[in-house]
């Protein structure tokens, strides 16, 4: 043999692996089919025995309708708003408390009924507010009575829960009403105490009169301050023109002018405006006369000299009027300043009085508004208490039996279906056993498996001779009829390396 080691053959493709595995399973099923048959038969037998040994059960059904709304007598709509309403009701129907109370109810109403375990189920009919209830037990009469008791106890439990909630709400609102009643009484006492020391109508009139007086005084003060500033800025001529142009003076200015005229008259002086105008008229007359005489007389003429002297005297009188006017303006400004100061003090006193009146009116309005607010809260709370009290006596939800519990009917066991299911489970168990046996069996069953498990090259494949007696293989003869067997040996001999 050559020392050269042949290379390992490549792994078989997935198709070859699949058909090899399929061939292996076919051989396994052919050799051990009795395992599947035994398991299927055993499963069917066990299921048949179990079904025939079961106690007969009875089922009773009922329907309940649940509406979430009900109108109470005062047209108030009481509504339970919950996104999980129907789910909560199903849980409540199947709750342990309802079941225990139903058992106690059946035991109290009919103690002679034989008791048994009852399976309860509740479902909602799609797109409706109807609940489907079913009870299954071994005693038909007890099962029906139990289902009726479940519906009664469910309704009773909901009413009790709602009654407790209403009582708690009424108790809480009653406590709030008692506190508000104390606040209302205290507010009434405070308001009555205030009214005993204050006349509201008189306070309102005084407050309005004080506001009007303040407006008038402030308007008068503004005019007097404006007049005071104007007198400080005017010259003598402007003052004369100002006095002359005032055809309808304001009350404050008229009073000031009248007071100034009275002071001038008391000092022995004429009206400065009239004297000034007369003097200016006389000067213009004398100047016109001089102008006329100057065409015939010389300036040194005694008559011209006398006229000039008279003009000078009138001008000196004008200057005297100016000085007197300055003193008069100064006196008038000082008088206006005193009057302004006095008016400011009067306004301050009026503001203080108006503020006091406003505070008293504000106190009255505060007491009155607080009492009104407490009274409104008390009335609203009392109304809500009455509504809750009425609602506690009216079903908030229309819970009733849509259909009472039907007579319990026996449940016929489905023997054929059960046996088929048992046989199917046994068949699955047999398949699992066959797969386990195949997993444990490590024998090589095909050329593909041999190539997958060993690296040495396969020189040939010799088939089994089914005609060999006792499993022994006969030697090949020259005219051997086993052509497949003979050809396999030839292939093996041809595959042997040359020496």
């Amino acid at each position: 043999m050559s020392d050269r080691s042949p290379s390992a053959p490549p792994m078989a493709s997935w198709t070859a692996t699949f058909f090899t595995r399929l061939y292996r399973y076919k051989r396994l099923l052919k050799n051990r089919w009795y395992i599947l048959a035994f398991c299927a038969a055993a499963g069917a037998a066990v299921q048949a025995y179990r079904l025939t040994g079961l106690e007969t059960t009875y089922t009773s059904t009922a329907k309940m309708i649940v509406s979430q709304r009900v109108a109470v007598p005062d047209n108030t709509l009481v509504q339970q708003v919950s996104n999980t309403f129907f789910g909560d009701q199903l849980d409540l129907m199947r709750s342990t408390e309802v079941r225990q109370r139903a058992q106690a109810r059946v035991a109290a109403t009919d103690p002679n009924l034989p008791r048994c375990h009852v399976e309860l189920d509740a479902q909602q009919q799609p797109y409706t507010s109807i609940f489907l209830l079913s009870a299954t037990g071994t005693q038909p009469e007890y099962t029906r009575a139990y289902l009726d008791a479940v519906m009664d106890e469910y309704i009773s439990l909901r009413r009790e829960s709602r009654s407790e909630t209403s009582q708690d709400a009424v108790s809480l609102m009653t406590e709030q009403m008692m506190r508000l009643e104390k606040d209302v009484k205290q507010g009434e006492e405070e308001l009555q105490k205030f009214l005993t020391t204050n006349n509201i109508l008189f306070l309102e009139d005084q407050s309005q009169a004080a506001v009007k007086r303040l407006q008038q005084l402030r308007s008068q003060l503004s005019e007097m301050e404006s007049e005071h500033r104007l007198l400080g800025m005017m010259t003598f001529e402007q003052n004369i023109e100002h006095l002359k142009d005032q055809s309808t003076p304001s009350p404050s200015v008229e009073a000031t002018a009248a007071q100034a005229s009275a002071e001038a008259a008391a000092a022995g002086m004429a009206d400065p405006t009239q004297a000034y105008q007369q003097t200016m008229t006389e000067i213009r007359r004398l100047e016109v006369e001089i102008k006329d005489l100057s065409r015939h007389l010389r300036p040194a003429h005694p008559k011209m000299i006398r006229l000039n002297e008279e003009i000078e005297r009138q001008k000196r009188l004008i200057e005297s009027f100016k000085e007197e006017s300055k003193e008069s303006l100064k006196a008038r400004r000082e008088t206006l300043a005193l009057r302004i100061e006095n008016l400011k003090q009067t306004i301050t006193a009026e503001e203080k009085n108006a503020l006091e009146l406003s505070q008293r009116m504000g106190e009255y309005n505060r007491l009155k508004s607080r009492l009104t607010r407490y009274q409104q809260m008390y009335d609203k709370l009392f109304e809500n208490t009455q509504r809750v009290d009425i609602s506690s006596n009216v079903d908030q939800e229309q819970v009733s039996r849509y259909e009472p519990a039907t007579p319990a009917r026996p449940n016929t066991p489905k023997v054929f279906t059960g046996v088929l299911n048992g046989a199917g489970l046994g068949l699955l168990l047999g398949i699992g056993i066959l797969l386990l046996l195949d997993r444990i069996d490590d024998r090589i069953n095909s050329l593909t498996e041999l190539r997958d498990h060993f690296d040495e090259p396969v020189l040939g494949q010799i088939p089994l001779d089914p005609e060999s007696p006792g499993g022994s293989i006969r030697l090949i003869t020259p005219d051997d009829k086993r052509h497949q067997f003979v050809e396999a040996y030839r292939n093996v001999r041809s595959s042997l390396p040359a020496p």
Side-chain angles (χ1 to χ4, degrees), residues 161-206:
S161 176
R162 184 172 58 253
S163 177
E164 292 177 0
T165 304
S166 300
Q167 290 177 0
D168 294 340
V170 170
S171 177
L172 179 61
M173 287 189 288
T174 303
E175 293 178 0
Q176 294 180 354
M177 285 176 60
M178 293 176 63
R179 289 196 296 267
L180 285 175
E181 187 175 2
K182 292 180 181 179
D183 294 337
V184 169
K185 289 183 179 180
Q186 183 180 358
E188 290 176 349
E189 292 175 357
E190 292 179 355
L191 184 60
Q192 186 62 32
K193 182 179 179 181
F194 181 83
L195 292 176
T196 54
T197 56
N198 298 274
N199 190 342
I200 297 302
L201 296 177
F202 180 71
L203 282 177
E204 291 178 352
D205 294 339
Q206 275 192 331

Tab-separated table of all heavy atoms in Angstrom, residues 161-206:
chain	number	residue	atom	x	y	z
A	161	SER	N	-72.436	48.794	49.104
A	161	SER	CA	-71.263	49.631	48.835
A	161	SER	C	-71.661	51.057	48.504
A	161	SER	O	-71.070	52.022	48.989
A	161	SER	CB	-70.452	49.023	47.687
A	161	SER	OG	-69.364	49.850	47.344
A	162	ARG	N	-72.703	51.203	47.660
A	162	ARG	CA	-73.160	52.538	47.306
A	162	ARG	C	-73.745	53.259	48.509
A	162	ARG	O	-73.574	54.458	48.697
A	162	ARG	CB	-74.195	52.442	46.179
A	162	ARG	CG	-74.664	53.795	45.670
A	162	ARG	CD	-75.528	53.645	44.430
A	162	ARG	NE	-76.689	52.813	44.663
A	162	ARG	CZ	-76.828	51.580	44.206
A	162	ARG	NH1	-75.874	51.014	43.522
A	162	ARG	NH2	-77.927	50.876	44.454
A	163	SER	N	-74.465	52.511	49.386
A	163	SER	CA	-75.053	53.125	50.581
A	163	SER	C	-73.972	53.625	51.526
A	163	SER	O	-74.064	54.719	52.081
A	163	SER	CB	-75.951	52.104	51.280
A	163	SER	OG	-76.488	52.649	52.470
A	164	GLU	N	-72.912	52.825	51.699
A	164	GLU	CA	-71.810	53.264	52.563
A	164	GLU	C	-71.133	54.506	51.991
A	164	GLU	O	-70.800	55.449	52.718
A	164	GLU	CB	-70.798	52.129	52.715
A	164	GLU	CG	-71.324	50.944	53.502
A	164	GLU	CD	-70.318	49.815	53.566
A	164	GLU	OE1	-69.224	49.992	52.977
A	164	GLU	OE2	-70.616	48.775	54.183
A	165	THR	N	-70.943	54.521	50.672
A	165	THR	CA	-70.330	55.694	50.046
A	165	THR	C	-71.204	56.932	50.218
A	165	THR	O	-70.708	58.031	50.530
A	165	THR	CB	-70.088	55.426	48.555
A	165	THR	OG1	-69.292	54.260	48.409
A	165	THR	CG2	-69.373	56.598	47.908
A	166	SER	N	-72.518	56.767	50.044
A	166	SER	CA	-73.432	57.909	50.198
A	166	SER	C	-73.448	58.395	51.645
A	166	SER	O	-73.452	59.605	51.903
A	166	SER	CB	-74.842	57.503	49.753
A	166	SER	OG	-74.851	57.105	48.403
A	167	GLN	N	-73.430	57.472	52.591
A	167	GLN	CA	-73.422	57.880	53.994
A	167	GLN	C	-72.146	58.630	54.344
A	167	GLN	O	-72.185	59.635	55.073
A	167	GLN	CB	-73.579	56.647	54.888
A	167	GLN	CG	-74.964	56.007	54.821
A	167	GLN	CD	-75.057	54.743	55.658
A	167	GLN	OE1	-74.075	54.353	56.293
A	167	GLN	NE2	-76.227	54.116	55.654
A	168	ASP	N	-71.025	58.168	53.840
A	168	ASP	CA	-69.766	58.885	54.091
A	168	ASP	C	-69.809	60.287	53.493
A	168	ASP	O	-69.367	61.258	54.111
A	168	ASP	CB	-68.586	58.099	53.505
A	168	ASP	CG	-68.375	56.780	54.231
A	168	ASP	OD1	-68.856	56.656	55.383
A	168	ASP	OD2	-67.744	55.878	53.644
A	169	ALA	N	-70.362	60.391	52.271
A	169	ALA	CA	-70.443	61.709	51.626
A	169	ALA	C	-71.372	62.632	52.402
A	169	ALA	O	-71.067	63.815	52.622
A	169	ALA	CB	-70.921	61.560	50.182
A	170	VAL	N	-72.518	62.102	52.864
A	170	VAL	CA	-73.458	62.929	53.633
A	170	VAL	C	-72.839	63.361	54.948
A	170	VAL	O	-72.987	64.510	55.389
A	170	VAL	CB	-74.773	62.149	53.858
A	170	VAL	CG1	-75.663	62.887	54.849
A	170	VAL	CG2	-75.510	61.953	52.546
A	171	SER	N	-72.128	62.453	55.607
A	171	SER	CA	-71.481	62.806	56.878
A	171	SER	C	-70.450	63.904	56.681
A	171	SER	O	-70.378	64.866	57.454
A	171	SER	CB	-70.829	61.555	57.471
A	171	SER	OG	-70.134	61.873	58.658
A	172	LEU	N	-69.641	63.782	55.632
A	172	LEU	CA	-68.623	64.797	55.366
A	172	LEU	C	-69.255	66.148	55.040
A	172	LEU	O	-68.822	67.200	55.542
A	172	LEU	CB	-67.727	64.330	54.215
A	172	LEU	CG	-66.611	65.284	53.790
A	172	LEU	CD1	-65.652	65.526	54.947
A	172	LEU	CD2	-65.851	64.720	52.593
A	173	MET	N	-70.295	66.147	54.208
A	173	MET	CA	-70.952	67.402	53.848
A	173	MET	C	-71.680	68.012	55.045
A	173	MET	O	-71.764	69.233	55.183
A	173	MET	CB	-71.917	67.166	52.680
A	173	MET	CG	-71.211	66.940	51.358
A	173	MET	SD	-72.335	66.927	49.930
A	173	MET	CE	-73.161	65.372	50.198
A	174	THR	N	-72.193	67.170	55.963
A	174	THR	CA	-72.844	67.689	57.165
A	174	THR	C	-71.840	68.409	58.052
A	174	THR	O	-72.131	69.482	58.606
A	174	THR	CB	-73.506	66.539	57.932
A	174	THR	OG1	-74.444	65.871	57.070
A	174	THR	CG2	-74.233	67.054	59.157
A	175	GLU	N	-70.652	67.846	58.199
A	175	GLU	CA	-69.616	68.524	58.979
A	175	GLU	C	-69.249	69.872	58.347
A	175	GLU	O	-69.099	70.881	59.046
A	175	GLU	CB	-68.382	67.633	59.073
A	175	GLU	CG	-68.606	66.359	59.881
A	175	GLU	CD	-67.366	65.490	59.913
A	175	GLU	OE1	-66.350	65.904	59.299
A	175	GLU	OE2	-67.406	64.410	60.541
A	176	GLN	N	-69.131	69.895	57.039
A	176	GLN	CA	-68.828	71.157	56.365
A	176	GLN	C	-69.966	72.158	56.537
A	176	GLN	O	-69.729	73.360	56.718
A	176	GLN	CB	-68.566	70.901	54.879
A	176	GLN	CG	-67.316	70.094	54.610
A	176	GLN	CD	-67.081	69.851	53.128
A	176	GLN	OE1	-67.919	70.193	52.308
A	176	GLN	NE2	-65.949	69.253	52.801
A	177	MET	N	-71.205	71.684	56.520
A	177	MET	CA	-72.341	72.583	56.716
A	177	MET	C	-72.334	73.175	58.125
A	177	MET	O	-72.654	74.357	58.318
A	177	MET	CB	-73.646	71.821	56.473
A	177	MET	CG	-73.946	71.547	55.003
A	177	MET	SD	-75.449	70.547	54.795
A	177	MET	CE	-76.658	71.627	55.559
A	178	MET	N	-71.958	72.380	59.117
A	178	MET	CA	-71.899	72.894	60.488
A	178	MET	C	-70.840	73.988	60.610
A	178	MET	O	-71.068	75.032	61.253
A	178	MET	CB	-71.596	71.746	61.452
A	178	MET	CG	-72.711	70.713	61.558
A	178	MET	SD	-72.289	69.297	62.614
A	178	MET	CE	-72.086	70.133	64.184
A	179	ARG	N	-69.688	73.790	59.982
A	179	ARG	CA	-68.650	74.828	60.012
A	179	ARG	C	-69.123	76.082	59.281
A	179	ARG	O	-68.911	77.211	59.757
A	179	ARG	CB	-67.359	74.293	59.385
A	179	ARG	CG	-66.654	73.252	60.227
A	179	ARG	CD	-65.227	73.055	59.757
A	179	ARG	NE	-65.181	72.536	58.407
A	179	ARG	CZ	-65.120	71.235	58.117
A	179	ARG	NH1	-65.125	70.343	59.094
A	179	ARG	NH2	-65.059	70.835	56.864
A	180	LEU	N	-69.775	75.887	58.130
A	180	LEU	CA	-70.270	77.046	57.389
A	180	LEU	C	-71.381	77.763	58.147
A	180	LEU	O	-71.492	78.997	58.079
A	180	LEU	CB	-70.777	76.604	56.013
A	180	LEU	CG	-69.709	76.274	54.966
A	180	LEU	CD1	-70.351	75.747	53.703
A	180	LEU	CD2	-68.880	77.510	54.647
A	181	GLU	N	-72.188	77.021	58.874
A	181	GLU	CA	-73.251	77.649	59.661
A	181	GLU	C	-72.667	78.550	60.744
A	181	GLU	O	-73.170	79.654	60.988
A	181	GLU	CB	-74.134	76.570	60.270
A	181	GLU	CG	-75.370	77.112	60.962
A	181	GLU	CD	-76.280	76.013	61.448
A	181	GLU	OE1	-75.920	74.828	61.277
A	181	GLU	OE2	-77.349	76.319	62.006
A	182	LYS	N	-71.578	78.089	61.378
A	182	LYS	CA	-70.902	78.937	62.358
A	182	LYS	C	-70.338	80.190	61.698
A	182	LYS	O	-70.439	81.296	62.249
A	182	LYS	CB	-69.779	78.150	63.033
A	182	LYS	CG	-70.271	77.013	63.920
A	182	LYS	CD	-69.100	76.282	64.559
A	182	LYS	CE	-69.574	75.137	65.433
A	182	LYS	NZ	-68.434	74.404	66.051
A	183	ASP	N	-69.744	80.027	60.521
A	183	ASP	CA	-69.197	81.194	59.812
A	183	ASP	C	-70.304	82.165	59.423
A	183	ASP	O	-70.117	83.386	59.489
A	183	ASP	CB	-68.443	80.723	58.556
A	183	ASP	CG	-67.202	79.920	58.903
A	183	ASP	OD1	-66.695	80.097	60.019
A	183	ASP	OD2	-66.759	79.112	58.061
A	184	VAL	N	-71.461	81.631	59.001
A	184	VAL	CA	-72.582	82.510	58.625
A	184	VAL	C	-73.076	83.291	59.843
A	184	VAL	O	-73.324	84.504	59.772
A	184	VAL	CB	-73.717	81.679	57.997
A	184	VAL	CG1	-74.987	82.510	57.853
A	184	VAL	CG2	-73.290	81.147	56.623
A	185	LYS	N	-73.220	82.613	60.970
A	185	LYS	CA	-73.676	83.300	62.185
A	185	LYS	C	-72.673	84.359	62.623
A	185	LYS	O	-73.049	85.481	63.006
A	185	LYS	CB	-73.894	82.281	63.296
A	185	LYS	CG	-75.099	81.379	63.083
A	185	LYS	CD	-75.292	80.434	64.251
A	185	LYS	CE	-76.522	79.555	64.049
A	185	LYS	NZ	-76.728	78.614	65.180
A	186	GLN	N	-71.395	84.032	62.571
A	186	GLN	CA	-70.380	85.009	62.942
A	186	GLN	C	-70.403	86.203	61.998
A	186	GLN	O	-70.275	87.365	62.421
A	186	GLN	CB	-69.002	84.342	62.926
A	186	GLN	CG	-67.872	85.267	63.372
A	186	GLN	CD	-66.529	84.567	63.352
A	186	GLN	OE1	-66.436	83.375	63.036
A	186	GLN	NE2	-65.490	85.288	63.711
A	187	GLY	N	-70.568	85.947	60.702
A	187	GLY	CA	-70.646	87.051	59.740
A	187	GLY	C	-71.868	87.920	59.977
A	187	GLY	O	-71.792	89.161	59.866
A	188	GLU	N	-72.994	87.319	60.302
A	188	GLU	CA	-74.197	88.117	60.594
A	188	GLU	C	-74.004	88.972	61.829
A	188	GLU	O	-74.425	90.138	61.863
A	188	GLU	CB	-75.387	87.169	60.777
A	188	GLU	CG	-75.845	86.496	59.492
A	188	GLU	CD	-76.966	85.505	59.737
A	188	GLU	OE1	-77.221	85.209	60.939
A	188	GLU	OE2	-77.584	85.028	58.757
A	189	GLU	N	-73.361	88.421	62.859
A	189	GLU	CA	-73.122	89.202	64.074
A	189	GLU	C	-72.183	90.380	63.801
A	189	GLU	O	-72.427	91.502	64.272
A	189	GLU	CB	-72.525	88.300	65.157
A	189	GLU	CG	-73.506	87.240	65.674
A	189	GLU	CD	-72.840	86.296	66.661
A	189	GLU	OE1	-71.622	86.451	66.878
A	189	GLU	OE2	-73.533	85.411	67.210
A	190	GLU	N	-71.118	90.132	63.049
A	190	GLU	CA	-70.184	91.217	62.736
A	190	GLU	C	-70.867	92.299	61.906
A	190	GLU	O	-70.656	93.495	62.131
A	190	GLU	CB	-68.968	90.656	61.999
A	190	GLU	CG	-68.093	89.762	62.858
A	190	GLU	CD	-66.918	89.202	62.079
A	190	GLU	OE1	-66.880	89.457	60.846
A	190	GLU	OE2	-66.070	88.518	62.677
A	191	LEU	N	-71.690	91.898	60.931
A	191	LEU	CA	-72.389	92.882	60.102
A	191	LEU	C	-73.401	93.672	60.930
A	191	LEU	O	-73.525	94.899	60.769
A	191	LEU	CB	-73.082	92.168	58.935
A	191	LEU	CG	-73.791	93.061	57.919
A	191	LEU	CD1	-72.807	94.024	57.266
A	191	LEU	CD2	-74.489	92.212	56.860
A	192	GLN	N	-74.104	92.978	61.818
A	192	GLN	CA	-75.075	93.682	62.660
A	192	GLN	C	-74.369	94.649	63.613
A	192	GLN	O	-74.851	95.766	63.860
A	192	GLN	CB	-75.895	92.648	63.446
A	192	GLN	CG	-77.039	93.237	64.240
A	192	GLN	CD	-78.071	93.923	63.354
A	192	GLN	OE1	-78.280	93.502	62.217
A	192	GLN	NE2	-78.695	94.972	63.860
A	193	LYS	N	-73.235	94.263	64.143
A	193	LYS	CA	-72.474	95.149	65.025
A	193	LYS	C	-72.004	96.383	64.269
A	193	LYS	O	-72.010	97.499	64.808
A	193	LYS	CB	-71.280	94.376	65.592
A	193	LYS	CG	-70.440	95.179	66.566
A	193	LYS	CD	-69.301	94.328	67.104
A	193	LYS	CE	-68.432	95.137	68.066
A	193	LYS	NZ	-67.301	94.322	68.592
A	194	PHE	N	-71.595	96.214	63.042
A	194	PHE	CA	-71.162	97.356	62.241
A	194	PHE	C	-72.328	98.289	61.943
A	194	PHE	O	-72.194	99.513	61.970
A	194	PHE	CB	-70.534	96.851	60.932
A	194	PHE	CG	-70.034	97.930	60.026
A	194	PHE	CD1	-68.788	98.493	60.207
A	194	PHE	CD2	-70.822	98.406	58.976
A	194	PHE	CE1	-68.327	99.494	59.366
A	194	PHE	CE2	-70.370	99.411	58.142
A	194	PHE	CZ	-69.117	99.956	58.336
A	195	LEU	N	-73.500	97.713	61.660
A	195	LEU	CA	-74.665	98.540	61.331
A	195	LEU	C	-75.178	99.317	62.541
A	195	LEU	O	-75.792	100.380	62.379
A	195	LEU	CB	-75.785	97.660	60.763
A	195	LEU	CG	-75.513	97.030	59.386
A	195	LEU	CD1	-76.648	96.104	58.989
A	195	LEU	CD2	-75.305	98.100	58.326
A	196	THR	N	-74.959	98.795	63.733
A	196	THR	CA	-75.416	99.523	64.924
A	196	THR	C	-74.604	100.797	65.164
A	196	THR	O	-75.099	101.723	65.816
A	196	THR	CB	-75.310	98.619	66.158
A	196	THR	OG1	-73.970	98.106	66.263
A	196	THR	CG2	-76.292	97.462	66.060
A	197	THR	N	-73.405	100.870	64.674
A	197	THR	CA	-72.556	102.054	64.878
A	197	THR	C	-72.398	102.889	63.620
A	197	THR	O	-71.736	103.926	63.654
A	197	THR	CB	-71.166	101.619	65.372
A	197	THR	OG1	-70.597	100.694	64.427
A	197	THR	CG2	-71.262	100.943	66.732
A	198	ASN	N	-72.975	102.472	62.512
A	198	ASN	CA	-72.815	103.200	61.259
A	198	ASN	C	-74.140	103.188	60.509
A	198	ASN	O	-74.808	102.144	60.416
A	198	ASN	CB	-71.734	102.570	60.375
A	198	ASN	CG	-70.369	102.594	61.019
A	198	ASN	OD1	-69.633	103.565	60.908
A	198	ASN	ND2	-70.017	101.514	61.713
A	199	ASN	N	-74.495	104.377	59.986
A	199	ASN	CA	-75.674	104.521	59.141
A	199	ASN	C	-75.224	104.391	57.685
A	199	ASN	O	-74.532	105.263	57.158
A	199	ASN	CB	-76.339	105.876	59.381
A	199	ASN	CG	-77.691	105.973	58.703
A	199	ASN	OD1	-77.995	105.194	57.797
A	199	ASN	ND2	-78.510	106.914	59.140
A	200	ILE	N	-75.625	103.274	57.046
A	200	ILE	CA	-75.118	102.987	55.706
A	200	ILE	C	-75.578	104.039	54.701
A	200	ILE	O	-74.793	104.521	53.869
A	200	ILE	CB	-75.562	101.581	55.268
A	200	ILE	CG1	-74.957	100.524	56.198
A	200	ILE	CG2	-75.135	101.302	53.839
A	200	ILE	CD1	-73.458	100.558	56.248
A	201	LEU	N	-76.852	104.450	54.793
A	201	LEU	CA	-77.350	105.448	53.845
A	201	LEU	C	-76.601	106.765	54.028
A	201	LEU	O	-76.208	107.416	53.039
A	201	LEU	CB	-78.853	105.655	54.047
A	201	LEU	CG	-79.729	104.428	53.760
A	201	LEU	CD1	-81.189	104.747	54.069
A	201	LEU	CD2	-79.577	103.990	52.314
A	202	PHE	N	-76.382	107.136	55.291
A	202	PHE	CA	-75.638	108.376	55.549
A	202	PHE	C	-74.198	108.247	55.071
A	202	PHE	O	-73.632	109.195	54.511
A	202	PHE	CB	-75.692	108.683	57.053
A	202	PHE	CG	-74.964	109.940	57.427
A	202	PHE	CD1	-75.472	111.188	57.075
A	202	PHE	CD2	-73.765	109.869	58.118
A	202	PHE	CE1	-74.788	112.350	57.422
A	202	PHE	CE2	-73.083	111.027	58.462
A	202	PHE	CZ	-73.599	112.276	58.115
A	203	LEU	N	-73.600	107.084	55.284
A	203	LEU	CA	-72.220	106.882	54.829
A	203	LEU	C	-72.124	106.968	53.307
A	203	LEU	O	-71.174	107.567	52.773
A	203	LEU	CB	-71.720	105.512	55.287
A	203	LEU	CG	-71.296	105.385	56.756
A	203	LEU	CD1	-70.889	103.956	57.057
A	203	LEU	CD2	-70.152	106.331	57.085
A	204	GLU	N	-73.091	106.395	52.605
A	204	GLU	CA	-73.060	106.457	51.142
A	204	GLU	C	-73.213	107.893	50.653
A	204	GLU	O	-72.474	108.336	49.756
A	204	GLU	CB	-74.170	105.576	50.565
A	204	GLU	CG	-73.939	104.089	50.781
A	204	GLU	CD	-75.084	103.257	50.247
A	204	GLU	OE1	-76.104	103.860	49.857
A	204	GLU	OE2	-74.950	102.009	50.209
A	205	ASP	N	-74.150	108.658	51.266
A	205	ASP	CA	-74.327	110.056	50.868
A	205	ASP	C	-73.083	110.871	51.181
A	205	ASP	O	-72.637	111.698	50.368
A	205	ASP	CB	-75.543	110.650	51.581
A	205	ASP	CG	-76.847	109.996	51.124
A	205	ASP	OD1	-76.840	109.406	50.020
A	205	ASP	OD2	-77.842	110.066	51.876
A	206	GLN	N	-72.531	110.657	52.380
A	206	GLN	CA	-71.318	111.395	52.749
A	206	GLN	C	-70.157	111.059	51.826
A	206	GLN	O	-69.377	111.942	51.451
A	206	GLN	CB	-70.939	111.066	54.203
A	206	GLN	CG	-71.645	111.899	55.240
A	206	GLN	CD	-71.010	111.725	56.605
A	206	GLN	OE1	-70.458	110.673	56.902
A	206	GLN	NE2	-71.085	112.754	57.417
